[in-house]
């Protein structure tokens, strides 16, 4: 069998898969429409561009996202290493300078002689390859989406993802906006956190209510008919990434219990906790750009400018990039996929990234890595493997392909403790339970590592 693979899509999942296969001695044709063509959501010509938030999620040892990152380290994840090299301060989160990250990934891909990057739209699995990985993510072209729909015999689903505005740091009023992480006493106890990572815009009750009233009435971009749910006519939003105006409409205090929660913060001007807080997180290594945490939006740009300048400390803020919404495409994974990420109807075609219904940047990288390992096994005539369900990645694969969801409702999912099998004995203390989940998962992943021992070992990271 040929040792050449095709990967369609050079986003997070496709780039990770290409690097994993190349380091194991396989030839890879990596197809992508960039740099010649970009969608409305793309802003630079590089591979692995992070479009929305620059955060890859928590690294904490009591978080589900932190566990997934630990598992990826055991599997020698390439993009996570690059993410840490291009990280910006973000408390316990792993946030990156998105331009530096994409540039570094692209340089790694171009430096690998076994990877051949091919610019242009690819709508079919190429012939004469050992296997094809489709990892075109939420911005899959209509032609390829149609091919997938015909292949699996049903239309793919979609929802909307939204990006937050990005502001120029020099235009933020530091006499009002204060630097602080939540619960500074916890940060001080962690020697790895040298300084606070977030800027905080404090709002009193009147300012909060005025902002909410504006969001309820501001002009927003109307969705097309094809962008709505066929039955209800409602937008197909992902619950973990709702537009701020949608949160505002859900209730008076919904934003204050969500992205605007003031818990654990104290305004140094008053010595008290604000009524609400809008946090800004550094978006690049230089610290010249900050994004508005949780302020993904579908408001028109003029309305966004007004919204920003209603916020204390941002009255003169310069918006460097307005928030945007874009359609995210994903398959009905329970109907279409095996837990090995192979298509049920075409086992020589694998799917990775957000097309699988795994939502999140770390999750996209993880599926690309797993797909690459299974593609390598296929090339050697071995059966693909399913990861242990006790691991976070294994649990994700089991959840998105679960039999009880076949033919039913399916929505994308992030890493979370709820998808793991319960512990044999109930642990009432939340932190102790999370630590037990983590210990069990890492032990299972370590034990399973021997199953990949027959694959060519990856070379050390450059």
């Amino acid at each position: 069998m040929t040792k050449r693979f095709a990967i369609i899509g050079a986003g997070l999942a496709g780039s990770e898969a290409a690097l994993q296969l190349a380091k194991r001695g396989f030839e890879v044709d990596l197809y992508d429409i960039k740099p010649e063509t970009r969608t409305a959501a793309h802003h630079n010509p590089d591979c692995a561009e992070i479009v929305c938030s620059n955060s890859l999620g928590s690294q904490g040892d009591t978080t589900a996202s932190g566990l997934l990152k630990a598992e990826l380290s055991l599997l020698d994840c390439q993009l996570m290493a690059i993410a840490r090299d291009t990280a910006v301060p973000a408390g316990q989160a792993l946030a990156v300078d998105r331009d530096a990250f994409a540039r570094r990934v692209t340089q790694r891909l171009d430096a690998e002689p076994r990877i051949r990057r091919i610019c242009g739209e690819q709508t079919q699995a190429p012939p004469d390859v050992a296997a094809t990985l489709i990892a075109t993510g939420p911005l899959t072209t209509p032609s390829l989406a149609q091919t997938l729909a015909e292949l699996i015999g049903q239309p793919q689903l979609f929802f909307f993802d939204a990006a937050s505005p990005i502001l120029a740091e020099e235009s933020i009023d530091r006499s009002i906006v204060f630097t602080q992480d939540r619960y500074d006493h916890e940060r001080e106890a962690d020697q790895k956190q040298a300084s606070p990572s977030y800027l905080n815009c404090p709002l009193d009750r009147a300012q909060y209510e005025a902002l909410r009233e504006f969001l309820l009435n501001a002009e927003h971009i109307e969705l097309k008919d094809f962008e709505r749910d066929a039955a209800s006519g409602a937008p197909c939003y992902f619950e973990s990434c709702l537009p701020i105006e949608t949160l505002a409409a859900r209730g008076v205090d919904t934003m204050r219990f969500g992205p605007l929660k003031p818990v654990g913060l104290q305004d140094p001007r008053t010595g008290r906790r604000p009524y609400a807080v809008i946090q800004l997180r550094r978006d690049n290594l230089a610290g010249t750009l900050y994004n508005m945490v949780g302020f993904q939006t579908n408001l028109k740009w003029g309305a966004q400018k007004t919204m920003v300048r209603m916020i204390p400390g941002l009255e003169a803020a310069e918006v460097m990039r307005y928030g945007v919404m874009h359609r995210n495409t994903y398959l009905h994974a329970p109907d279409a996929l095996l837990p090995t990420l192979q298509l049920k109807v075409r086992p020589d075609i694998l799917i990775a990234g957000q097309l699988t219904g795994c939502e999140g940047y770390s999750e996209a990288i993880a599926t690309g890595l797993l797909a690459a390992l299974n593609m390598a096994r296929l090339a050697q005539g071995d059966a693909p493997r399913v990861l242990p369900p006790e691991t976070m990645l294994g649990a994700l694969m089991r959840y998105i392909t679960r039999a009880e969801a076949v033919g039913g409702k399916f929505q994308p999912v992030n890493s979370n403790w709820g998808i793991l099998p319960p512990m044999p004995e109930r642990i009432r203390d939340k932190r102790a339970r999370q630590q037990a989940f983590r210990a069990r998962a890492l032990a299972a992943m370590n034990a399973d590592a021997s199953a990949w021992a027959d694959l060519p070992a990856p070379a050390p990271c450059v």
Side-chain angles (χ1 to χ4, degrees), residues 20 36 39-40 44 57 116-117 161 181 194 211 213 215 221 255 294 315 337 347 351 365 371 389 410 437 454:
Q20 290 288 338
E36 290 182 5
T39 71
N44 73 49
R116 180 175 62 159
R117 283 213 291 144
D161 205 355
D181 290 346
L211 177 63
E213 185 66 22
L215 290 170
I221 298 172
M255 295 190 299
E315 292 89 348
L337 291 182
I351 307 293
I365 293 169
F410 175 69
F437 275 136
D454 54 344

Side-chain angles (χ1 to χ4, degrees), residues 178-184 187 195-200 262-268 274 279-280:
F178 61 95
T179 305
Q180 190 181 112
D181 290 346
R182 295 189 195 279
Y183 303 111
D184 267 351
R187 177 185 56 78
S195 61
S197 308
Y198 290 87
L199 302 183
N200 302 275
V263 177
L265 296 169
Q266 184 181 85
D267 187 343
Q279 291 198 302
L280 311 177

Side-chain angles (χ1 to χ4, degrees), residues 331-344 351 355-358 367 370 374 385-387 389 393-413 419:
L331 303 180
H332 192 290
D335 289 349
L337 291 182
L338 298 170
T340 56
L341 295 176
Q342 296 168 282
L343 283 178
K344 292 179 179 179
I351 307 293
L355 271 177
T356 65
C358 285
T367 58
L370 177 60
N374 274 329
R385 286 188 57 80
V386 177
L387 289 172
L393 182 50
L396 274 170
M397 296 302 96
R398 185 179 69 165
Y399 185 84
I400 65 170
T401 60
R402 62 195 188 280
E404 59 267 30
V406 171
K409 187 175 181 180
F410 175 69
Q411 190 177 38
V413 65
I419 63 177

Side-chain angles (χ1 to χ4, degrees), residues 246-297:
T246 300
L247 289 176
R250 288 192 171 186
V252 174
D253 290 318
T254 302
M255 295 190 299
R256 288 207 315 128
F257 286 93
L260 274 70
K261 64 183 178 184
V263 177
L265 296 169
Q266 184 181 85
D267 187 343
R269 296 180 304 161
T270 64
R272 299 190 303 272
R273 185 172 79 181
Y275 187 75
V277 167
I278 294 167
Q279 291 198 302
L280 311 177
R281 181 175 56 225
R282 187 184 293 190
D283 202 72
N284 63 348
L285 286 170
T288 58
L289 299 175
Y290 276 79
N291 69 68
M292 300 176 66
V293 177
F295 261 70
Q296 50 272 4
T297 181

Side-chain angles (χ1 to χ4, degrees), residues 124-310:
Q124 302 285 341
D128 303 322
V129 293
T132 297
L133 175 65
I134 300 176
T136 42
L139 302 174
T140 298
T141 63
S143 297
L144 180 55
Q146 182 62 33
T147 297
L148 284 169
E150 294 173 355
L151 191 60
I152 64 177
Q154 59 183 268
Q156 67 286 344
L157 303 180
F158 65 90
F159 63 97
F160 276 88
D161 205 355
S164 302
I166 294 178
L167 313 176
E169 186 277 336
E170 63 183 6
S171 65
I172 297 169
D173 185 351
R174 293 300 191 98
S175 69
I176 298 174
V177 177
F178 61 95
T179 305
Q180 190 181 112
D181 290 346
R182 295 189 195 279
Y183 303 111
D184 267 351
H185 62 279
E186 290 184 5
R187 177 185 56 78
E188 291 165 2
D190 184 352
Q191 297 302 310
K192 292 181 288 187
Q193 294 296 320
S195 61
S197 308
Y198 290 87
L199 302 183
N200 302 275
C201 306
L203 288 79
D204 60 26
R205 182 168 186 164
Q207 291 165 332
Y208 172 84
E209 291 177 348
L211 177 63
R212 178 174 181 267
E213 185 66 22
F214 174 80
L215 290 170
L216 293 176
N217 297 290
E219 281 192 294
H220 60 274
I221 298 172
E222 291 294 333
L223 302 180
K224 306 292 190 299
D225 289 341
F226 74 90
E227 296 174 328
R228 298 179 180 273
D229 179 78
S232 67
C236 300
Y237 296 132
F238 179 49
E239 285 295 316
S240 293
C241 194
L242 292 171
I244 191 66
E245 59 270 21
T246 300
L247 289 176
R250 288 192 171 186
V252 174
D253 290 318
T254 302
M255 295 190 299
R256 288 207 315 128
F257 286 93
L260 274 70
K261 64 183 178 184
V263 177
L265 296 169
Q266 184 181 85
D267 187 343
R269 296 180 304 161
T270 64
R272 299 190 303 272
R273 185 172 79 181
Y275 187 75
V277 167
I278 294 167
Q279 291 198 302
L280 311 177
R281 181 175 56 225
R282 187 184 293 190
D283 202 72
N284 63 348
L285 286 170
T288 58
L289 299 175
Y290 276 79
N291 69 68
M292 300 176 66
V293 177
F295 261 70
Q296 50 272 4
T297 181
N298 193 36
L299 296 183
K300 290 186 176 180
W301 287 8
Q304 288 187 46
K305 185 175 182 179
T306 301
M307 172 193 73
V308 169
R309 295 191 171 181
M310 291 179 68

